[in-house]
Amino acid sequence: MNKQLLKDALLRSLDEEINAALAAAGEAHATASHGENKPENQYDTLALEAAYLAHGQSERILQLQQTRINLSRWVAPDFSEDDSVRMGACVVLLSENDEERSIFIAPVGGRELEFEGEKILVVNQEAPVTRRLSGLQIGDEVELTLGGRSSLWELLAIH
């Protein structure tokens, strides 16, 4: 597995999220500053609420941009068959029901990527699943809850 391409897919995902936040901030700003939204009385707060929303979106955009910069500078390490799971690992798991799942431990998580025809769950170091996988090696088994159900998973590969 080429983790640089996986990282590039993750960066594109962040770019999409940034663009969506920019569009939402633009709409909120337009609503806040539109002439027809001037308050008619002290209880009319539409423009004020839109201004708060625009500010919150701006803060979110800055956070996403910083996350993107940090991710772009991050170099995902290579792993051998003797390594244990840690930051930068992309692991392949097999459930007791013969279901395969891939999980990528990256600086940014909370998303699922479509990569080379496969869905890959992206988690960060603080995710509970990361804590359960950390230190495991190929062949180890672990009880995980993925997709809302708990199951026993075997670690098949570390990339």
Side-chain angles (χ1 to χ4, degrees):
M1 170 176 290
N2 186 331
K3 284 197 290 188
Q4 181 58 47
L5 293 178
L6 181 56
K7 179 180 145 183
D8 291 344
L10 185 54
L11 286 167
R12 283 191 301 277
S13 172
L14 276 171
D15 288 340
E16 291 169 6
E17 195 172 343
I18 290 168
N19 289 334
L22 284 168
E27 287 178 31
H29 178 72
T31 300
S33 60
H34 194 277
E36 290 183 13
N37 289 333
K38 290 192 184 220
E40 294 178 7
N41 59 49
Q42 67 186 28
Y43 302 107
D44 188 357
T45 60
L46 179 63
L48 180 61
E49 291 169 11
Y52 279 125
L53 181 60
H55 176 73
Q57 288 291 348
S58 297
E59 293 293 319
R60 176 76 178 133
I61 291 164
L62 288 173
Q63 180 185 45
L64 286 169
Q65 289 172 330
Q66 187 60 52
T67 298
R68 192 198 188 288
I69 290 168
N70 292 340
L71 180 63
S72 68
R73 293 177 179 163
W74 178 65
V75 178
D78 291 325
F79 288 82
S80 71
E81 290 184 11
D82 298 329
D83 285 331
S84 59
V85 177
R86 65 180 190 280
M87 175 66 132
C90 186
V91 300
V92 180
L93 301 168
L94 180 67
S95 77
E96 55 195 353
N97 302 326
D98 291 328
E99 175 189 356
E100 273 194 27
R101 286 295 305 237
S102 294
I103 300 175
F104 183 41
I105 304 170
V108 59
R111 61 191 72 227
E112 191 169 64
L113 296 177
E114 184 75 31
F115 181 71
E116 296 179 351
E118 181 182 356
K119 287 186 179 180
I120 298 179
L121 178 63
V122 182
V123 297
N124 63 18
Q125 278 192 289
E126 290 80 36
V129 70
T130 302
R131 289 193 293 270
R132 297 294 311 260
L133 291 171
S134 290
L136 297 181
Q137 295 182 308
I138 293 174
D140 288 346
E141 293 183 343
V142 63
E143 183 88 20
L144 293 174
T145 301
L146 296 174
R149 65 181 198 277
S150 186
S151 186
L152 188 63
W153 296 81
E154 180 184 354
L155 184 60
L156 293 182
I158 302 174
H159 300 284

